[in-house]
Amino acid sequence: DSVRLYCLDNATKIAKLLTMEEFREELLPIVVTCAKDPRAWRVRFAVADHIASFAEEVDDPQSRQEFMEVMLILFKDTEAEVRSSAVCNLPKFSLCYDKQEIIEKIIPQFSVLSQDTSQHVKGAFVEILCKMAEILGEDDSITHIVPTVMHMMNKDEILEVRVSLLENLGMINTVLGSENCINHIVPLLKEYSEDKQWRVKLSIVQVIPQIAELVSESEFETHLSPIILNLMTDSVFSVRKTTLEIFLELASKFGNQWLQTRLIEKFRDMSNHTNCTFRLAVLLNLFECITKFSPDAIRNDIHPTLLKLSHDPVPNIQFNVAKLIMQHHYVLDHDLLTSELIPRLREMRDSMDSDDDVRYFSMRCLDICDPSS
């Protein structure tokens, strides 16, 4: 087997030196025989690994048809490693054929590959879907790629496969265009933004900026903004944290005023939530984005929220108010800071009922904001 592996490696180089007739008579039969060898899966793997390079060297219909048959055989190989290798080389292999041949011969295999028993084969298949979409173009991708994506998201039980599928949606969307993306992909994101698996939701958040590049602000507001705002109150910290990061990234496209309007409204709702995790999340988010807000927004919206949360019964929330003021006191309204927040910090520092951490961070904050106290 080792000898034949070396031979196949070198055959791709030899093929470039042969005439078409020599290739068809001398080399092609060897490749076909190796692809069908039932005893040596490593040899079949080598054929799958090099089949695209071989296909690039032929231009007559008969040889092209034989290589197509070899590829179809490799898709059904008994070894998952062989099938995975064949799938990985499919985009490069497909470039050697016209679109109609791909639709007639390759596309029918998608339903089989998407249900393969091996996670690695399905993972490889998901990875090449975006490249196949580029080869097929917009209309044929809607007909053949989108149904495959929908089927795998709805039916596949392997988390890694669904996560990988979502991670690759951005590249597929660039082929589909904004209208098709809104009609076919966004409904999928809405459905799975409530998935029980947090990694699925995290992948949805991460793909949204790529979709945002394709759609207008009004389309984003209608179709995608509700998804990302809902994920800001997810039960998993990583999802909430990444969602805020994506919001800040989107501000470069839609502007700080858009960011400010959406976040202030959401923070107001979260600060009234019965779950203390979400009230705390308001403060953790403000650590990252308060400098993005205008002075008017800080005075009229952020300041009342801080004052309210400083009276929260949960000590962790109280001392994070103190930490936030200590870190960002320079952006707060000076008059309101002096007249309302500093007196409240004194109460938190001096109260015997206060938690030790609340008193400590209140004292630290006052040392910076009101040294005379």
Side-chain angles (χ1 to χ4, degrees):
D1 289 353
S2 297
V3 173
R4 287 192 290 167
L5 290 176
Y6 282 119
C7 288
L8 285 169
D9 286 340
N10 286 284
T12 58
K13 303 177 181 67
I14 295 173
K16 299 180 183 298
L17 306 176
L18 300 178
T19 65
M20 193 64 252
E21 184 178 352
E22 291 172 329
F23 183 95
R24 185 170 55 252
E25 293 180 358
E26 303 293 339
L27 197 54
L28 181 56
I30 297 174
V31 175
V32 173
T33 300
C34 290
K36 296 178 180 180
D37 190 333
R39 298 168 300 174
W41 74 266
R42 289 167 56 201
V43 173
R44 303 196 304 274
F45 178 88
V47 174
D49 198 35
H50 295 302
I51 189 167
S53 298
F54 286 126
E56 289 176 338
E57 302 302 321
V58 300
D59 55 14
D60 67 293
Q62 182 180 349
S63 298
R64 287 158 58 91
Q65 181 61 31
E66 289 197 51
F67 273 118
M68 179 65 78
E69 294 301 324
V70 169
M71 178 59 99
L72 297 180
I73 290 171
L74 295 171
F75 283 155
K76 299 173 183 178
D77 197 273
T78 55
E79 294 292 334
E81 288 84 352
V82 176
R83 301 196 301 275
S84 294
S85 180
V87 169
C88 289
N89 283 281
L90 180 56
K92 183 180 177 182
F93 178 83
S94 297
L95 291 174
C96 303
Y97 295 83
D98 61 45
K99 188 185 296 188
Q100 193 58 39
E101 289 178 296
I102 297 171
I103 292 173
E104 291 177 358
K105 298 289 186 178
I106 299 296
I107 296 300
Q109 304 303 313
F110 279 14
S111 60
V112 177
L113 294 171
S114 66
Q115 300 177 64
D116 197 279
T117 55
S118 167
Q119 174 183 333
H120 300 293
V121 174
K122 287 194 283 191
F125 177 61
V126 167
E127 292 287 337
I128 61 97
L129 274 178
C130 57
K131 296 178 182 177
M132 292 304 297
E134 292 174 356
I135 294 171
L136 291 174
E138 180 180 332
D139 293 338
D140 288 315
S141 291
I142 294 170
T143 305
H144 303 292
I145 301 295
V146 170
T148 302
V149 171
M150 301 289 285
H151 174 80
M152 295 187 74
M153 283 300 299
N154 290 328
K155 299 296 183 181
D156 205 290
E157 298 179 356
I158 300 176
L159 174 61
E160 285 73 15
V161 172
R162 292 194 291 149
V163 168
S164 180
L165 194 59
L166 289 167
E167 290 172 347
N168 284 277
L169 272 182
M171 296 180 66
I172 295 176
N173 289 331
T174 58
V175 177
L176 298 181
S178 61
E179 183 177 352
N180 290 319
C181 177
I182 290 171
N183 292 335
H184 299 285
I185 302 301
V186 171
L188 187 72
L189 299 183
K190 288 180 180 178
E191 179 181 355
Y192 285 95
S193 65
E194 300 180 0
D195 195 271
K196 62 181 180 180
Q197 295 288 350
W198 70 269
R199 287 179 57 198
V200 171
K201 293 183 283 189
L202 184 64
S203 298
I204 288 174
V205 173
Q206 292 170 333
V207 82
I208 282 180
Q210 297 171 302
I211 301 177
E213 292 298 322
L214 302 174
V215 301
S216 65
E217 182 175 343
S218 61
E219 290 172 328
F220 185 91
E221 282 301 301
T222 303
H223 301 286
L224 293 169
S225 189
I227 297 175
I228 196 169
L229 285 169
N230 184 56
L231 289 172
M232 284 200 73
T233 53
D234 191 79
S235 60
V236 177
F237 173 76
S238 293
V239 176
R240 298 195 303 270
K241 179 176 183 295
T242 304
T243 302
L244 178 66
E245 293 171 354
I246 296 303
F247 250 115
L248 297 177
E249 182 180 339
L250 290 170
S252 62
K253 176 178 174 63
F254 300 129
N256 278 351
Q257 183 60 43
W258 173 87
L259 174 75
Q260 177 177 292
T261 303
R262 302 300 170 276
L263 288 185
I264 285 178
E265 182 179 350
K266 190 65 178 178
F267 289 167
R268 189 182 299 118
D269 293 339
M270 291 169 67
S271 67
N272 293 317
H273 204 287
T274 55
N275 189 330
C276 66
T277 300
F278 299 134
R279 302 198 301 275
L280 177 60
V282 173
L283 298 171
L284 299 180
N285 287 335
L286 283 172
F287 274 106
E288 303 298 327
C289 68
I290 192 170
T291 57
K292 302 288 185 180
F293 298 151
S294 68
D296 286 344
I298 292 175
R299 181 173 54 255
N300 298 328
D301 297 290
I302 302 303
H303 175 84
T305 299
L306 292 179
L307 190 61
K308 175 184 178 180
L309 292 176
S310 72
H311 290 85
D312 196 281
V314 178
N316 199 16
I317 293 176
Q318 287 189 33
F319 77 67
N320 270 287
V321 170
K323 288 172 67 176
L324 180 64
I325 296 171
M326 179 170 58
Q327 183 172 329
H328 292 292
H329 62 90
Y330 59 92
V331 301
L332 299 174
D333 183 271
H334 183 267
D335 293 338
L336 292 176
L337 175 65
T338 304
S339 63
E340 296 186 1
L341 289 178
I342 286 179
R344 174 56 188 156
L345 286 167
R346 289 172 183 158
E347 293 176 7
M348 292 160 61
R349 178 195 63 184
D350 299 335
S351 174
M352 296 305 296
D353 295 329
S354 292
D355 178 86
D356 289 344
D357 288 328
V358 173
R359 290 200 297 271
Y360 171 75
F361 284 108
S362 298
M363 180 182 65
R364 288 279 311 277
C365 182
L366 287 168
D367 286 343
I368 294 174
C369 300
D370 187 36
S372 61
S373 65

